[in-house]
Amino acid sequence: MPTAITLTKVVKDYPATKGPATRVIDLVDLSINPGELFFLLGPSGCGKTTILRMIAGFIEPTEGRIHFDDHDVTDVPANKRNTGMVFQSYALWPHLTVAENVAFGLRVRRTPTSEAADRIAAALDAVKMRSYSDRKPNQLSGGQQQRVALARALVIRPDVLLLDEPLSNLDAKLRHELRDEIRRLCREFEMTTICVTHDREEAMAIGDRIAVLTRGVVAQVGPPAEMYSRPTSKFVAEFLGEANFIPATAIPGVAGRLHAESPLGTMAGVGVAGQMVTAVVRPEQVRLNIGNGLPAEIKDISFVGHHTRYTLRAGNLSVLSLEAGSPTFRVGDRVSVSVDGEVAVIAG
């Protein structure tokens, strides 16, 4: 059965030469479901890798507890936790072949030779690298090395798979291919998987749930679509994609729903109640037309393949809009702006 992971009031302080210790993780609570592909997402220095390494057992928390299912593993050493780790640098042994690299964890565990051979073959088959088993790492591409690192983690049949920025060294095409492979392998092996990244597209494309971190605290946790459409703060909204932040007044609507009165008109909203709020309007929700809506002038146009990005001036507001396909307007055109669908309403 896949493993559930729970962090309760976890703190990590690093002592300073002078003065108080530096707190890098501050009272983090997380519950990761069995078999879930869970992402720790945030900017550099937010603490996501520190959390991953505490789960792995490489770093001890200053306070708080870590559980695998009902077992408290806070004080259990890394080699007793049965976790598989894939590092950003891959960390392959350069003098060993692909098969020997994959076999390393089994040798440490003194797995019988016949069983080890079957498990190595199965792990290499899973990542489509069996035909490269006799090659050395310097004879492989970056994507192939990453697959070997995955096989080495999978071959020990870990309870938990931990991935630290596993795709950051690859080009865009390989990142797309391997992120889909990671999702497939997690489903096939039925493993609880935690992945650290600063790439929001990667996390939103394959994650079951995401925790966005900032300065050592969890800002919000949820499924990707919910996080994108219902951020609870400006930080989360900005980190997950471009957004227009429109000052508004929240007015109670029918059946407990909110209406947000704003310079862009009255919008259906979801989020906090109150007087002065901010409506988070994603660029793809902004519609351009000739007719009803707030008058606006197009100031800039960027065509980026699948869609066109418009920058507009609407009264005192600068507004971004994304529309599918090639440009249908030109710089200087006067249009009307309206908002389609529910918008997130956040405090402030």
Side-chain angles (χ1 to χ4, degrees):
M1 289 290 292
T3 301
I5 301 171
T6 307
L7 281 68
T8 306
K9 300 291 185 288
V10 169
V11 170
K12 183 59 185 177
D13 293 334
Y14 285 111
T17 305
K18 294 181 180 180
T22 300
R23 178 155 294 187
V24 294
I25 301 297
D26 191 10
L27 296 173
V28 164
D29 291 318
L30 281 175
S31 294
I32 299 166
N33 300 321
E36 189 169 41
L37 178 49
F38 189 90
F39 273 80
L40 298 171
L41 177 66
S44 298
C46 71
K48 54 190 185 291
T49 294
T50 301
I51 291 175
L52 192 77
R53 289 176 175 266
M54 286 193 287
I55 293 170
F58 298 150
I59 300 174
E60 293 183 6
T62 305
E63 300 175 19
R65 312 307 296 176
I66 300 172
H67 285 79
F68 286 7
D69 291 330
D70 295 329
H71 306 294
D72 189 332
V73 299
T74 311
D75 302 315
V76 175
N79 64 337
K80 302 293 185 182
R81 294 194 187 189
N82 196 32
T83 60
M85 186 87 172
V86 178
F87 298 93
Q88 182 177 359
S89 62
Y90 316 144
L92 301 178
W93 298 102
H95 62 289
L96 299 180
T97 66
V98 165
E100 290 167 340
N101 266 283
V102 174
F104 184 80
L106 298 178
R107 289 206 306 270
V108 171
R109 289 163 173 77
R110 301 183 184 278
T111 305
T113 303
S114 59
E115 180 186 347
D118 290 341
R119 287 169 63 173
I120 292 165
L124 289 172
D125 281 341
V127 298
K128 303 172 184 175
M129 287 294 294
R130 191 170 181 179
S131 61
Y132 297 86
S133 60
D134 294 329
R135 293 193 186 184
K136 299 287 183 64
N138 65 0
Q139 297 174 302
L140 304 175
S141 68
Q144 290 168 337
Q145 290 182 47
Q146 182 62 281
R147 290 175 185 272
V148 175
L150 279 168
R152 185 178 59 185
L154 294 172
V155 77
I156 64 171
R157 297 176 182 170
D159 296 322
V160 177
L161 180 63
L162 305 172
L163 309 174
D164 187 5
E165 300 274 11
L167 308 181
S168 62
N169 295 329
L170 305 178
D171 61 42
K173 183 175 184 295
L174 273 176
R175 280 201 305 272
H176 280 79
E177 290 176 1
L178 278 179
R179 76 186 188 191
D180 293 337
E181 281 294 293
I182 287 172
R183 186 171 183 84
R184 179 185 66 80
L185 290 168
C186 292
R187 297 289 178 266
E188 182 179 321
F189 284 81
E190 297 183 330
M191 289 178 303
T192 303
T193 304
I194 305 173
C195 185
V196 160
T197 187
H198 61 269
D199 186 330
R200 67 192 181 207
E201 182 182 337
E202 177 185 321
M204 295 175 71
I206 65 172
D208 293 316
R209 284 193 305 148
I210 300 169
V212 175
L213 285 91
T214 177
R215 298 180 181 179
V217 301
V218 176
Q220 190 176 346
V221 180
E226 177 184 305
M227 297 278 283
Y228 184 77
S229 61
R230 299 188 179 186
T232 56
S233 68
K234 187 175 181 180
F235 172 80
V236 172
E238 285 184 307
F239 200 82
L240 294 181
E242 287 187 312
N244 298 290
F245 297 102
I246 309 299
T249 302
I251 302 171
V254 178
R257 308 298 286 181
L258 293 177
H259 289 164
E261 295 280 2
S262 81
L264 291 183
T266 301
M267 298 176 283
V270 59
V272 301
Q275 287 297 312
M276 298 310 297
V277 295
T278 298
V280 180
V281 182
R282 296 296 183 185
E284 60 270 23
Q285 292 181 283
V286 177
R287 296 285 176 260
L288 308 186
N289 51 70
I290 305 297
N292 295 330
L294 181 69
E297 181 182 353
I298 296 175
K299 293 295 187 180
D300 190 47
I301 299 174
S302 300
F303 177 58
V304 287
H306 297 298
H307 58 260
T308 300
R309 183 179 186 271
Y310 294 96
T311 303
L312 307 105
R313 172 61 62 178
N316 293 325
L317 298 175
S318 179
V319 180
L320 294 178
S321 173
L322 290 180
E323 295 208 338
S326 302
T328 55
F329 298 99
R330 296 178 296 180
V331 172
D333 281 354
R334 296 191 173 275
V335 296
S336 297
V337 174
S338 59
V339 176
D340 184 24
E342 283 188 335
V343 301
V345 179
I346 59 177

